[in-house]
Amino acid sequence: MFFSQAGARPRMWEASPSEHKKWVEVFKACDEENKGYLSREDFKVAVVMLFGYKPSKIEADAVMSSVDPNTSGILLKEFLDIVRKKKEAQLYRNEIRHIFTAFDRHYRGYLTLEDFKKAFKQVAPKLSERIILEVFRWRRELPHCPG
């Protein structure tokens, strides 16, 4: 699946009822003392249960600094929003990886100008070669794209 506009982020992703239920169950399981919120450590355990990794100190700090200071931790509503955003970002990264892999026909880990031309001919056959070349050059100038 390709985005309708170049660089467009997908619309807000919605969890299925069963996935939403799983998130609530994880929240409840991690809130062992039924406090009504997750502490920093509770949150880390929940992320491990849902995403399979322990969040870094930086990630935990960012989450904890974003919660309401009048509460002692992450309330269920906040937790569900955090998990939804993490899942949405995960799906977006997976889609980008899938698109890149489809264009990297020789499994080199990078795209050549020829790979780029072939990809654009498939998804935008009426696009001029001059525009494709400009996009390729622009991509190479981005700081995170080796070139």
Side-chain angles (χ1 to χ4, degrees), residues 103 108 111-120 129 136:
F103 291 170
R108 292 179 289 229
L111 299 179
T112 65
L113 178 56
E114 289 308 309
D115 294 332
F116 218 65
K117 285 179 183 178
K118 286 179 184 175
F120 272 90
E129 190 163 327
F136 185 78

Side-chain angles (χ1 to χ4, degrees), residues 3 9-13 15 19 22-23 46-54 59 81-99:
F3 300 125
R9 290 288 307 253
R11 289 190 195 148
M12 189 164 29
W13 176 82
E19 194 154 28
K22 177 182 175 185
W23 298 350
V47 171
V48 170
M49 291 174 71
L50 291 172
F51 295 96
Y53 77 93
K54 180 182 175 191
E59 182 179 355
D81 189 49
I82 291 165
V83 172
R84 182 192 52 77
K85 287 177 183 174
K86 287 181 74 55
K87 184 69 172 180
E88 187 177 274
Q90 183 181 54
L91 292 172
Y92 179 72
R93 283 190 305 272
N94 288 344
E95 185 168 10
I96 295 296
R97 189 175 298 113
H98 178 74
I99 292 168

Side-chain angles (χ1 to χ4, degrees), residues 35-49:
K35 306 174 297 286
Y37 63 87
L38 298 183
S39 68
R40 176 189 196 87
E41 292 307 311
D42 296 337
F43 172 72
K44 288 180 180 180
V45 173
V47 171
V48 170
M49 291 174 71

Side-chain angles (χ1 to χ4, degrees), residues 100 103-113 115 139 146:
F100 179 87
F103 291 170
D104 182 16
R105 294 177 175 219
H106 301 287
Y107 307 103
R108 292 179 289 229
Y110 60 90
L111 299 179
T112 65
L113 178 56
D115 294 332
R139 179 200 60 85

